[in-house]
Amino acid sequence: MDFDNSKPIYLQIAEVFYENILEKRWKEEERIPSVREIAMLVEVNPNTAIRAFNHLQDLEVIYNKRGIGYFVAENGYAKVMEIKRKEFMEHTLPDVFRKMNMMNIPLEELINSFKQENHEKK
């Protein structure tokens, strides 16, 4: 995995979890890969991986069944959706609007591009 130096590695690992949960590769109440498996997958020290697991447990996205492993929480999908929507609205969208303003792109053009993109996917 290629890491971005501007963000802690454990948070970048959490992004991998978010993506798997939002794309429903990991479903609620389903067992997920172990700390060791994740560490090997993303090529980090297991201590770094456990920080991601602890962070996600604190957010109630995953939970640990002692002796069995880690699982996506019952409302894990909704939690991740809430986290990612908030991040998008507070960080990504303001940057998009700033760039649109800088390049003089009207909102209507963005809306038309969005509609066209959605139409092509159907």
Side-chain angles (χ1 to χ4, degrees):
M1 184 169 164
D2 293 327
F3 293 105
D4 176 0
N5 290 332
S6 68
K7 190 174 182 180
I9 292 173
Y10 79 94
L11 292 177
Q12 293 177 64
I13 295 169
E15 289 294 329
V16 172
F17 283 71
Y18 295 154
E19 186 177 305
N20 279 297
I21 292 167
L22 289 177
E23 292 182 359
K24 297 187 178 182
R25 287 187 291 250
W26 296 351
K27 295 174 178 47
E28 293 177 347
E29 298 299 327
E30 189 174 275
R31 189 173 181 280
I32 61 174
S34 69
V35 171
R36 186 171 294 140
E37 289 169 324
I38 291 294
M40 288 175 41
L41 178 70
V42 297
E43 300 175 343
V44 297
N45 183 302
N47 293 329
T48 303
I50 197 68
R51 284 190 71 194
F53 278 76
N54 289 337
H55 174 72
L56 293 164
Q57 273 190 268
D58 291 345
L59 296 173
E60 299 177 346
V61 170
I62 64 172
Y63 66 94
N64 185 10
K65 285 187 181 176
R66 195 169 182 91
I68 299 174
Y70 287 89
F71 293 75
V72 176
E74 182 179 346
N75 60 347
Y77 181 88
K79 290 271 188 188
V80 172
M81 185 63 80
E82 179 184 327
I83 292 164
K84 295 307 290 178
R85 284 178 62 96
K86 182 177 183 198
E87 180 183 301
F88 179 80
M89 297 301 284
E90 292 178 1
H91 300 286
T92 305
L93 201 52
D95 188 49
V96 168
F97 287 150
R98 183 183 62 76
K99 288 177 181 174
M100 286 175 59
N101 200 20
M102 193 170 57
M103 293 182 280
N104 202 22
I105 299 172
L107 185 57
E108 296 77 30
E109 190 174 333
L110 179 70
I111 291 168
N112 288 337
S113 292
F114 178 78
K115 286 179 180 177
Q116 182 177 349
E117 179 70 23
N118 271 354
H119 180 72
E120 290 175 1
K121 286 184 178 180
K122 290 181 179 179

